[in-house]
Amino acid sequence: MADIAAPSSVAAMGDNRSSLHKLMQRKSTVAFLMALPLILLILGLVAYPAGYAVYLATLNKGMTRFVGFGNFEFLFGRDTFWLVVYQSCLFAITAVIFKAIIGFIVAHFVHNIPSKGQRKWRGMLLVPWVIPPAMSTLAWLWLFDPSYSAINYLLAPLGIDRIPWTGEAGWARFSVILVNVWIGAPFFMIMYLAALKSVPEQLYEAAAIDGATWWQRIWYVTLPMMRNIIAITALFSLIVTFANFDIVRVLTAGGPLNSTHIFGTWAFRVGIEGGDIPLGASVSLFMVPILAVAATFILRDITKRGSEV
Amino acid sequence: MASRKVSRRRFVAGTAALSTAMVAAPFVRGAYAAGKLSLGFWDHWVPGANKTSEALIKEWAAKEKVDVTIDYITSQGNKLLLTTAAESQAKSGHDVLAFSTWLPSRYADQLVPMNDVVEPLIKENGAVNATVEYLGKVGGKWLAVPATIGSQMKGPCSRIDMLKQHAGIDIQAMYPAGSAPKADGWTLDTFMKAAEACHKAGASFGIGLGTTSDSVDTAGAIFHSFGAQLVNAKGDITVKSDNVRKALDYYKRLMSFLPEDAPAWDDASNNKWLVSGKGALIMNPPSAWAVAKRDAPKVAEQCWTHGFPAGPAGRFGPFLPFFWGTWNFSKNQSAAKSLMVFLSQKSSAEQLVAASGGYDLPSFANFTTFKTWADEGPPTGTLYHYPNPFNHQTLSIAAAPAPHKIAEQIYTQAIQTQMVVRHFKGEAMDRTLDWAAKEIEGFSRN
């Protein structure tokens, strides 16, 4: 039995080796192996924590029993939660709109600077985006300090009364949005600048021959050519802004009267500071469906335009 | 490395010996703890304070032949809080960890009971105040050992000159260094009049109304002074009571004499207020005075730390204790207990207090008259009344006596200061009370 089996097992081993060899020669296998470290990183640092957050969100406050959607049901009955939903939407949407507008305008300015000096400007304009937000927000905190605001100090000689930058709900919301726009606008600027550079010059020449005005060139040439990049940038920024934590945490810690809390900061307040981790996990997970809906709409539009092209 | 464990029997024998023997006899002589011990201690604000605790720990480790590693973990950016949460989830971490105010009760199920450590210590060092007991002892079990390092009072620190000049109050006469307070006239009414006078003179009291602990602690003490509980010990919501209304009404009037931006203040704002020379009073441990001593000596020379004003229900001062606790997954629990006992000895506590410049406040009754508080200055005796040496006031914490899980949420979500600001900004009293009741109702879920 063993005598008979031996040759066949050797043959099988040879077959296995050659098929393994073939497998290793495939481009897709090599690509997979090269991507494997990254896949493992993503599984460990993104997929596992996300799954664990979902698990935590289904537990009771004492983390002793499964409550299904109980935490979400509880949240839906809380006024503060809906205030946080409103503020998160206000914060993210307003900030993204302003970042897009400012980025678009500045990208045009930079695009029109002669290429010799453009690099310098690009570098300088990227500075707010490059500095770690927690650090730059600290500098803003000093500028907005309730009692010793440097901005108020400068405004005083102009006869402008002390502005409660972080002390009144409206001003506090304005302040956190302003800082977010300051940090995020350079990202839009650089993306739009790249898009502008890829618009064929002939299109502008043709438009000029047709007698198009400055506005018509923007509306009928520039914007259609940049649509995809605008959509992707907006989506990316929307996700990042919704999930923001550091700016609000450092600047207002969600105050005054919870008027600047967004999902991230309120989840931290409830989960870590307040000791209700399942509820904190539920708060932070609540932004997933909102972002999923936004992503679906924006990406669907991109796919549609892609197939039109 | 071979590790020798201290048996429970042996440890209990050691602690029993401690409770009967005089302090002169070193506690650890009967407890030969060994092996490894990792410590996560609070990273002290006061420069150099960590060195003293490190030296004490090394002294103990050398005697006990324990291999000790110490991590000083800052509370800045909630690092210590996050470390605690992570260790609790991972069921792995330091053998001894510093637990701030509410954390022993939060992690009650995961902490090793410390009755065999704390009860002998109380016998020897005197009773602990009711707030320490409320926070550290749940269901008859001591969950952690009251720690000297980081424990603090947040009573008033006043400017002697400004109170005298603007409000006609001689605060040093009320709280003389070296003798009992003569502060019967130091009531919430006097406090209000002084706040108004100083505000008119451009030296407002620097009391925050934000959501961080300094603001919450002051609000808690004033609410206690009116007997105003948001939730009673049984867990019943008692927001809509006369006492709460009275406290809110008082605070509304007081707020009109505080800095306009008080709702945006954090724990640094009051310190800056004092050091800048703008304010006549803040509520803080002596750290603000210590900074003034370094950066604004003329301001520091005029500072006097003293007791809280009394209200209709009594005189309450905010006290925030730290604890040392041991997880039930810790591998060297007996050595951990032995170290905690060593650090709670009078000589250790006295050294820790001295190293912190009087900031640290041991919880035991016999430890409130150390030389440091009498000697610190300028002005000499400025900290004499900081440790409440005459039990002149009841040490308290905001949201007590509510059940811990509710109280912790009331505290961290700053319900009391939010009520004050809402009402001050024009919201009707009943609406404010409704809002608070609804929020608290949510905290009661299991």
Side-chain angles (χ1 to χ4, degrees):
Chain A
M1 188 100 177
D3 290 344
I4 300 164
S8 66
S9 70
V10 170
M13 272 175 71
D15 281 353
N16 284 345
R17 261 188 216 147
S18 70
S19 59
L20 184 70
H21 187 68
K22 275 182 196 163
L23 188 73
M24 290 306 292
Q25 277 192 323
R26 275 192 209 151
K27 275 186 182 174
S28 58
T29 311
V30 174
F32 173 76
L33 287 175
M34 289 178 81
L36 193 60
L38 185 65
I39 292 169
L40 290 176
L41 265 181
I42 289 172
L43 283 176
L45 298 178
V46 179
Y48 172 71
Y52 191 58
V54 172
Y55 164 71
L56 287 175
T58 60
L59 299 178
N60 71 329
K61 189 177 178 178
M63 298 169 73
T64 50
R65 64 189 157 84
F66 178 78
V67 292
F69 288 105
N71 289 322
F72 292 97
E73 277 173 37
F74 172 78
L75 283 174
F76 293 158
R78 314 302 308 161
D79 292 344
T80 312
F81 173 70
W82 290 112
L83 185 70
V84 170
V85 173
Y86 165 72
Q87 278 154 196
S88 299
C89 293
L90 180 80
F91 174 74
I93 293 168
T94 316
V96 169
I97 289 172
F98 277 99
K99 280 187 276 194
I101 292 171
I102 293 169
F104 189 78
I105 294 169
V106 177
H108 270 82
F109 282 134
V110 176
H111 186 54
N112 288 324
I113 293 173
S115 55
K116 200 180 164 192
Q118 210 180 85
R119 207 186 229 182
K120 238 175 5 195
W121 282 99
R122 279 205 307 255
M124 282 192 291
L125 287 165
L126 275 177
V127 167
W129 190 59
V130 173
I131 304 172
M135 261 178 71
S136 53
T137 311
L138 261 183
W140 280 101
L141 178 67
W142 293 328
L143 293 174
F144 289 148
D145 187 284
S147 307
Y148 315 98
S149 164
I151 301 175
N152 284 347
Y153 177 78
L154 293 173
L155 292 177
L158 306 175
I160 298 170
D161 199 14
R162 203 185 58 81
I163 296 171
W165 295 105
T166 53
E168 290 284 341
W171 280 110
R173 285 177 184 151
F174 170 81
S175 301
V176 291
I177 291 170
L178 175 72
V179 176
N180 188 278
V181 170
W182 181 81
I183 290 170
F187 169 70
F188 279 76
M189 184 273 292
I190 207 74
M191 295 295 281
Y192 291 172
L193 189 62
L196 276 175
K197 287 189 183 299
S198 66
V199 178
E201 201 54 38
Q202 297 91 318
L203 292 179
Y204 290 112
E205 284 166 12
I209 291 164
D210 288 345
T213 61
W214 169 83
W215 173 247
Q216 283 169 324
R217 268 183 289 166
I218 295 261
W219 192 253
Y220 293 108
V221 178
T222 312
L223 278 176
M225 294 301 290
M226 288 174 68
R227 269 165 74 182
N228 276 358
I229 201 82
I230 288 174
I232 289 170
T233 314
L235 172 65
F236 182 76
S237 179
L238 196 68
I239 292 168
V240 173
T241 313
F242 248 106
N244 187 273
F245 175 78
D246 36 19
I247 294 174
V248 174
R249 179 75 199 172
V250 173
L251 212 57
T252 64
L257 296 178
N258 295 328
S259 61
T260 54
H261 265 308
I262 52 178
F263 286 121
T265 55
W266 203 54
F268 187 80
R269 171 66 53 86
V270 170
I272 301 291
E273 291 182 319
D276 195 341
I277 288 181
L279 198 65
S282 307
V283 172
S284 59
L285 284 176
F286 191 78
M287 64 180 120
V288 175
I290 297 177
L291 293 176
V293 170
T296 308
F297 275 102
I298 295 171
L299 292 176
R300 196 178 61 178
D301 207 29
I302 288 169
T303 320
K304 208 168 73 187
R305 282 199 296 270
S307 57
E308 278 167 10
V309 174
Chain B
M1 176 180 166
S3 74
R4 284 184 297 151
K5 299 261 179 187
V6 179
S7 69
R8 190 179 169 279
R9 187 181 296 252
R10 200 161 196 180
F11 172 75
V12 172
T15 47
L18 159 80
S19 62
T20 49
M22 293 301 289
V23 180
F27 158 76
V28 286
R29 64 181 174 176
Y32 290 97
K36 286 187 176 182
L37 197 68
S38 63
L39 314 173
F41 272 34
W42 176 63
D43 187 12
H44 213 294
W45 309 124
V46 178
N50 289 347
K51 278 187 187 160
T52 302
S53 61
E54 192 181 344
L56 281 167
I57 292 162
K58 280 185 177 164
E59 182 192 328
W60 170 85
K63 249 187 230 168
E64 299 300 316
K65 297 183 175 50
V66 175
D67 182 10
V68 173
T69 52
I70 316 170
D71 293 321
Y72 285 102
I73 307 165
T74 180
S75 50
Q76 291 275 17
N78 285 306
K79 178 88 196 314
L80 182 57
L81 187 67
L82 287 164
T83 303
T84 313
E87 292 190 3
S88 153
Q89 287 288 302
K91 296 185 174 49
S92 166
H94 296 92
D95 294 302
V96 179
L97 189 62
F99 289 83
S100 59
T101 330
W102 298 100
L103 298 192
S105 59
R106 184 190 291 186
Y107 298 111
D109 298 340
Q110 288 183 286
L111 291 174
V112 176
M114 290 287 168
N115 293 37
D116 51 351
V117 174
V118 181
E119 283 164 7
L121 284 173
I122 288 175
K123 274 188 198 152
E124 184 176 323
N125 301 334
V128 293
N129 65 64
T131 294
V132 173
E133 191 159 340
Y134 165 71
L135 293 167
K137 191 177 182 184
V138 176
K141 276 187 201 164
W142 277 101
L143 303 169
V145 179
T148 298
I149 302 170
S151 295
Q152 53 183 290
M153 260 281 291
K154 289 190 183 172
C157 173
S158 298
R159 283 283 299 265
I160 301 162
D161 52 350
M162 287 179 174
L163 279 190
K164 214 175 263 178
Q165 189 188 342
H166 306 311
I169 292 172
D170 185 350
I171 201 68
Q172 285 175 298
M174 276 186 179
Y175 287 91
S179 56
K182 297 163 189 147
D184 291 346
W186 184 233
T187 63
L188 282 176
D189 288 335
T190 315
F191 186 78
M192 179 76 82
K193 282 179 195 153
E196 184 177 4
C198 289
H199 179 68
K200 281 182 181 158
S204 303
F205 286 5
I207 298 172
L209 281 158
T211 53
T212 51
S213 77
D214 284 3
S215 302
V216 174
D217 291 325
T218 307
I222 291 182
F223 271 59
H224 280 308
S225 305
F226 280 94
Q229 296 176 356
L230 301 188
V231 175
N232 65 20
K234 288 182 202 158
D236 304 323
I237 298 172
T238 51
V239 166
K240 293 172 185 175
S241 68
D242 283 348
N243 289 341
V244 173
R245 287 172 192 273
K246 281 179 198 162
L248 264 187
D249 183 55
Y250 176 86
Y251 234 127
K252 185 181 179 180
R253 283 185 288 133
L254 178 66
M255 201 174 154
S256 58
F257 307 130
L258 300 181
E260 277 177 51
D261 46 26
W265 278 26
D266 59 21
D267 287 348
S269 306
N270 49 358
N271 295 35
K272 286 189 269 183
W273 190 253
L274 182 85
V275 177
S276 70
K278 275 183 164 187
L281 177 148
I282 63 165
M283 302 287 189
N284 215 63
S287 47
W289 164 79
V291 173
K293 198 161 76 161
R294 187 192 64 198
D295 296 344
K298 295 257 178 259
V299 170
E301 283 166 16
Q302 293 294 333
C303 289
W304 201 253
T305 295
H306 55 91
F308 227 80
R315 194 184 298 277
F316 291 84
F319 184 71
L320 268 88
F322 254 94
F323 295 87
W324 292 310
T326 298
W327 298 113
N328 55 16
F329 45 80
S330 161
K331 291 188 181 101
N332 205 350
Q333 295 174 12
S334 48
K337 288 182 176 182
S338 169
L339 173 66
M340 286 186 259
V341 171
F342 174 76
L343 291 176
S344 303
Q345 297 304 294
K346 188 173 183 185
S347 64
S348 304
E350 194 158 9
Q351 287 179 61
L352 292 168
V353 169
S356 69
Y359 177 99
D360 291 340
L361 210 47
S363 297
F364 301 101
N366 300 348
F367 292 177
T368 57
T369 51
F370 291 153
K371 219 168 154 284
T372 305
W373 294 305
D375 292 349
E376 276 290 345
T380 306
T382 184
L383 302 185
Y384 181 78
H385 287 277
Y386 171 63
N388 196 30
F390 296 93
N391 286 320
H392 173 61
Q393 55 194 341
T394 306
L395 303 186
S396 64
I397 184 149
H404 297 91
K405 294 210 185 300
I406 301 174
E408 187 183 7
Q409 295 279 345
I410 293 174
Y411 188 95
T412 53
Q413 305 223 21
I415 296 299
Q416 287 167 326
T417 55
Q418 291 202 58
M419 287 168 75
V420 172
V421 177
R422 280 170 169 269
H423 185 46
F424 176 78
K425 292 201 165 173
E427 191 173 83
M429 174 82 79
D430 286 330
R431 280 199 69 181
T432 300
L433 299 181
D434 283 342
W435 171 82
K438 201 169 174 212
E439 287 292 306
I440 293 167
E441 200 183 287
F443 303 156
S444 313
R445 81 194 192 96
N446 287 311

